[in-house]
Each structure stands twice: as C-alpha cells, then as structure tokens.
Amino acid sequence: MKMFVILGATGKIGRATIGMLRQNGLPVRAVVRNPSKAHELRACGCDIAVADLRDMPALVEATKGASAVQVICPTLVQAENASAEMAATIGAIAEALRQTRPARILAISDYGAQLPTGTGITLTFHHLESELKKLPAALTFLRSAEHMQNWGRGTGRALQTGVLASLHHPVSKTFPTVSAGDVGLIAADLLLADRNDAMRIVHAEGPRRYSAVDVADALSKIAGREIVAREMPRQDWISVLVAGGMSASYAQLVTDLFDVHNAGQIDAEQGVGEIRYGKTELRAALSALVPSTLTAKV
C-alpha cells in the first residue's frame, strides 16, 4: 500500500496537504517535532512519527516504507547562524531520504530558487533543490511565492499606528504572493496525480498579484479604519526585523532577499515548468490574521 509521509505536518502547508490526502482515503504518516501538537492529525487518521528535522536517524525511521515524501525545510528565524543551521537540516533530510529511497519526493521550494547567489534566505531553497537532485527519485519542486501570511508580522503595528511599513519598494509594485494553505492544496493535487517525472517544477501563486498598497487597503477594509502603506527605510530593515524577533543572521538573509526582490529578480523561472494558482484572495488570508475584536462590524 502507498504511504505518503509529510514533513512539517503541523504547519499550514502540511496540514492542508494532509487534509486533502485523507479526504481521498490515502494513508498518511505525519512527521511532527512536538507530539503534543499531533492530536488533530491523529484524529483524522494519520500515523504519527516524531522527529526533529535535524535528527537524521529519526527521519530515517519516519520515512521508512514511504512511497512519496513531502519535504519542507523550516526557516529558523531565531538561529544564531541561520544559513548553517538550515544547511544542516537539509543535509539530514537528504541523507535520510538517500537511505530510505522513496519513489517520489515533492519539495516545497521558493520563487527564485533557481538563482545560485545573492538571494538571501532563498538560497536555502536553491541548496535544498541541489541536494535532492542527487537522489534516485522522481522529483517535484513546488516553488511557492511569498506567503500572504507573512504580513502577520506587521499587522498588529499597522492596526495600532495606521501605517503598514513595507520592505517592498515601491509600495505600488505588484508581486506574486499566495496563501500558505493553497500551497498545501496544490502540493496534494500534485501528489494525487501520481506522476513519476524525473524532475518537475511547478510555481504556486495566488489568483492575482498584489502590492503593499493592496495589503494596506485590505487591512483598512477588515479593520474599518484607514491604513496606508509606506516604504520602510532601507537602513532600518535589520534593526526592525531583529526587534520583531529575528536573529541578526536571519534578518540579514531577509534583507538580502528583499534587495533582489525589489530589483525584480524574484519571480517564476521563465520558460520552466508551470504556474498553479491558488484560490484564496488577499483579504481572506489577512482576515485570519486580525483579531476579531479589531475587525469592522459589517
């Protein structure tokens, strides 16, 4: 019998993938780091495996017997050396899969992962793709646009001050973005297709592209008060990100990414693969980030 193993099962992407696979009656092993968060997954019929994604022997046990594995590399926002720790995680995942040899691997990757240098945090996904290409498996790289949920980091401040500070410059520039849950649904659809391409690249973004101005406008409608988008001064990026809970190392990677993003270099790879479009509009995704006590009464 086929067994689908989902790493990062308690995240928004993993939960959405698992939900669709289970709706189709397929066996799923959900890999979690904290077993206390596995109750809902167990209740929907998942087998549960406990493994830290940096623990290679535990990952070997978790992925044994898998016909397909969905891989995600967590972004360690508080790591002292974020690049090194994420590289170690990728190494552990790749070695475990080399030993257990699943027939199919679907990796959640990132827009811009094709670029080999200068993309900050996105270099993690370039490294992930490079390591997985060494394995004898049918590979699908699902490259995700920026998640709409990332705006949650600045939502509270925007609601307090009426100003949405943006690393997207200019604030009128549109960019691809997608709800994390939609990425999980697209991943499930790709797994259900049961194709065995040697390598397949799929890009995931939302139903349309948005700007920071669109984000501020959506928040205004949700909260019932005016919120305007303004460019965060470039010299303030790292200090603001660190104040928001990131390590200096991770904040530098985010800064490097937005430098190339604002230069127009982060997008779907031209002429490669396909684009799948999620259905969740920006306002719907942002509504889930705003406390109900702060939403407009309509």
Side-chain angles (χ1 to χ4, degrees):
M1 180 180 291
K2 292 183 179 180
M3 172 60 73
F4 293 85
V5 174
I6 309 298
L7 306 187
T10 59
K12 292 182 177 65
I13 293 175
R15 285 181 180 275
T17 301
I18 289 168
M20 182 173 285
L21 293 177
R22 291 298 300 139
Q23 285 176 26
N24 282 269
L26 295 170
V28 174
R29 184 180 303 143
V31 182
V32 302
R33 183 176 62 85
N34 185 346
S36 68
K37 296 183 178 181
H39 175 72
E40 290 182 14
L41 297 169
R42 188 177 286 110
C44 78
C46 290
D47 179 30
I48 304 297
V50 179
D52 188 293
L53 296 187
R54 289 168 286 184
D55 185 344
M56 191 273 293
L59 286 173
V60 169
E61 289 301 313
T63 57
K64 277 183 178 177
S67 53
V69 178
Q70 180 166 303
V71 171
I72 191 166
C73 181
T75 51
L76 306 173
V77 299
Q78 296 180 326
E80 184 176 347
N81 187 334
S83 291
E85 291 203 29
M86 288 185 283
T89 300
I90 291 168
I93 293 171
E95 176 58 23
L97 297 178
R98 186 190 68 79
Q99 293 189 33
T100 56
R101 301 174 69 88
R104 300 169 61 207
I105 299 170
L106 185 150
I108 306 299
S109 187
D110 200 25
Y111 270 37
Q114 72 276 11
L115 302 174
T117 59
T119 59
I121 193 67
T122 296
L123 280 177
T124 296
F125 299 96
H126 179 80
H127 181 54
L128 174 66
E129 290 190 8
S130 297
E131 290 302 301
L132 294 180
K133 286 176 183 177
K134 300 174 184 178
L135 302 178
L139 294 176
T140 299
F141 295 133
L142 179 53
R143 293 178 179 166
S144 170
E146 176 183 332
H147 292 173
M148 295 173 180
Q149 287 76 12
N150 288 354
W151 289 97
R153 299 186 185 113
T155 297
R157 183 70 175 165
L159 292 171
Q160 291 173 358
T161 65
V163 175
L164 177 70
S166 175
L167 275 63
H168 285 283
H169 293 187
V171 292
S172 59
K173 175 178 67 70
T174 60
F175 53 88
T177 184
V178 65
S179 174
D182 283 351
V183 177
L185 294 177
I186 292 168
D189 189 57
L190 293 169
L191 290 170
L192 288 167
D194 201 23
R195 286 174 49 172
N196 290 304
D197 309 63
M199 189 175 75
R200 186 181 186 190
I201 293 175
V202 180
H203 302 88
E205 58 181 84
R208 62 188 181 91
R209 296 188 170 198
Y210 297 89
S211 67
V213 171
D214 293 324
V215 176
D217 182 63
L219 286 174
S220 297
K221 290 182 171 63
I222 293 166
R225 62 180 69 90
E226 184 181 19
I227 296 171
V228 297
R230 292 182 184 162
E231 296 175 10
M232 183 188 298
R234 172 64 176 75
Q235 66 269 20
D236 295 343
W237 288 4
I238 290 181
S239 61
V240 170
L241 293 172
V242 169
M246 292 183 188
S247 68
S249 170
Y250 193 90
Q252 184 63 61
L253 293 176
V254 172
T255 294
D256 292 343
L257 170 59
F258 272 89
D259 279 338
V260 296
H261 206 313
N262 291 336
Q265 297 177 38
I266 301 298
D267 211 319
E269 186 175 5
Q270 290 295 311
V272 174
E274 62 182 288
I275 300 178
R276 296 281 186 100
Y277 297 95
K279 297 180 179 179
T280 304
E281 292 282 358
L282 181 65
R283 182 172 174 179
L286 295 178
S287 292
L289 307 177
V290 178
S292 59
T293 55
L294 297 177
T295 58
K297 300 296 186 289
V298 293

